[in-house]
Amino acid sequence: MTDTTWTDLERPLPEWFARAKFGIFIHWGAYSVPAWAEPIGALGEIPDDTWFAHNPYAEWYLNTIRIEGSPAQQHHREAYSDAPYDDFLDQWGAERFDPADWAKLFARAGAEYVVPTTKHHDGITLWDAPGTGDRNTVRRGPRRDLVGDIAEAVRAEGIRFGVYYSGGLDWSVSDFPPHTSSTEVHSLRPNDAAYHYYAAAHVRDLVDRYRPDVLWNDIEWPDAGKHRAPGGLHELFAEYFAANPEGVVNDRWGDTFSDYATTEYSAFGENETKDVWENNRGLGYSFGFNQVESTDEILDTMRLAKHWVTVVAKGGRLLVNVGPTADGRIPDLQRATLEGFGDWKRPLVEAAAAVSERSEQPESDASGWRREWRTPTELITFVDAPGEFRVDGAGLDLGRVRVLSGEASTEVDGDDLVVRVAAVHGGPAAVAVART
């Protein structure tokens, strides 16, 4: 039975996470070999009865090819002659994987934390996890500890390191039919004590080996482990916080404990009202690399910048995903977006860290898109195109203005500040006015 009185685990939110507004997610696995899904749209915008058979998440390939009549099943039959999924583990070479290069890219993008998948729903682990036999990347495929390689590289760049783990689903430990609805995701998942102990041993091993600053579980946690007795999830959390007092856990462990809430694309939007929350999404519609995606689906620098600004304006942080190729490269379109975003974002890092309150956002009007950040010392206004806009001077010192991004001039007109934006570069123009 679920115990919801876990308040003894509560502690102040670590300062680093309170200030962190941008992280990098990494989905990399055997699914990166076929790298195929239908790019039909974003989670939260596609009806459930369409989503699963046409799943745009390439990392769900093993599930989607099991759905009778799905386009992914047809693709798998034509391209791979219905070969077993685990053949992809052996074909996953990672021969061009350069963790130092990845970490430098993430640092240039301004990432404050990096969270790679360590086990996705297919059950393949990216380190030599206990109980996995040869079904991991140390014994097969890349034949290296990918989690350790990424951890060492990102920490060398001064970036916090976290781990994603799929505790809710593991298609390798069950004989359930494929998921064809959101309801089945939760009803057809392993909930027994044996799976809890198996998954808990993995998480403990991740904590012991890599000292992660984030434990990012997905979907749920097996019901048999949601208790305060010895060996349960409560004990696991307590051990983690004792080992890393600055660590945080997300909200996908069921009705147990969390430090922060999550949204995914536009799904779970109700969590945006929580005190601490994070939006996660891919640069395209998939998390794992999808060879079918193009510039139509993958965010360019401007679109990523606008999304990040909006998330921060609403009190959140963004964990945006990269999906490397099977040989270990960050795809060119994804790399270009992150490089451009980082170059645009650099003057805004301190301001983003200081955003301390939600505020009602200006409505888009004939003048176009507009957002505002409020820090204890400034009001920062963003626009995405050249033009003129006015800022109500109430509570502001109109004599103290900074242009943080783009090219703009300002003048005081009565009680307002008039801002004339001549050009934007990469992302929106940003103008900061001191608060009195």
Side-chain angles (χ1 to χ4, degrees), residues 173 190-201 221-222 224-225:
V173 301
N191 274 313
D192 56 285
Y195 177 61
H196 156 68
Y197 287 117
Y198 175 78
W221 192 258

Side-chain angles (χ1 to χ4, degrees), residues 106-328:
F106 303 155
R108 179 173 173 178
E112 293 146 301
Y113 57 115
V114 170
V115 181
T117 50
T118 65
K119 184 198 82 168
H120 206 263
H121 311 329
D122 61 8
I124 295 169
T125 63
L126 278 67
W127 87 107
D128 192 8
T132 56
D134 70 350
R135 206 166 180 271
N136 62 66
T137 62
V138 175
R139 306 296 180 89
R140 291 166 64 184
R143 295 191 179 275
R144 52 193 294 186
D145 177 358
L146 300 177
V147 179
D149 289 344
I150 296 169
E152 181 179 2
V154 301
R155 285 182 166 136
E157 293 292 333
I159 303 171
R160 297 269 181 166
F161 176 75
V163 293
Y164 165 107
Y165 183 84
S166 176
L169 295 181
D170 189 326
W171 299 320
S172 71
V173 301
S174 67
D175 57 1
F176 292 134
H179 308 289
T180 61
S181 70
S182 297
T183 299
E184 289 179 355
V185 169
H186 290 276
S187 64
L188 301 176
R189 62 181 178 88
N191 274 313
D192 56 285
Y195 177 61
H196 156 68
Y197 287 117
Y198 175 78
H202 286 179
V203 175
R204 282 191 170 89
D205 197 48
L206 288 168
V207 171
D208 290 345
R209 289 181 189 240
Y210 310 114
R211 310 178 315 282
D213 293 305
V214 180
L215 286 184
W216 211 106
N217 189 58
D218 203 5
I219 306 293
E220 252 279 9
W221 192 258
D223 292 350
K226 296 177 191 171
H227 58 74
R228 298 174 59 101
L233 183 58
H234 181 280
E235 181 180 77
L236 181 61
F237 283 156
E239 291 173 356
Y240 171 57
F241 295 138
N244 185 356
E246 292 195 329
V248 293
V249 301
N250 73 338
D251 62 343
R252 300 191 182 187
W253 307 81
D255 189 11
T256 58
F257 176 80
S258 66
D259 290 300
Y260 67 98
T262 57
T263 67
E264 189 167 331
Y265 290 87
S266 61
F268 320 121
E270 65 276 7
N271 284 338
E272 292 182 2
T273 64
K274 304 284 181 67
D275 289 339
V276 187
W277 64 277
E278 170 195 82
N279 175 248
N280 69 89
R281 61 156 295 157
L283 283 168
Y285 294 143
S286 176
F287 287 88
F289 174 57
N290 182 5
Q291 61 179 308
V292 181
E293 289 188 331
S294 67
T295 53
D296 291 338
E297 294 82 28
I298 295 173
L299 298 179
D300 60 15
T301 294
M302 177 63 80
R303 287 190 288 166
L304 174 58
K306 289 170 65 176
H307 181 66
W308 177 67
V309 166
T310 299
V311 168
V312 174
K314 293 191 287 186
R317 56 199 40 74
L318 175 63
L319 184 64
V320 75
N321 182 80
V322 296
T325 61
D327 64 5

Side-chain angles (χ1 to χ4, degrees), residues 342-359:
D343 294 346
W344 167 82
K345 175 178 176 283
R346 197 163 295 114
L348 296 161
V349 170
E350 286 305 313
V355 171
S356 55
E357 59 186 271
R358 294 180 178 89
S359 58

Side-chain angles (χ1 to χ4, degrees), residues 5 30 43 58 162 176 217 240 283 303 341 376 390-391 409 413 418:
T5 59
L43 182 69
F176 292 134
N217 189 58
Y240 171 57
L283 283 168
R303 287 190 288 166
F341 175 73
R390 301 176 77 89
V391 177
S409 60
D413 181 15
V418 178

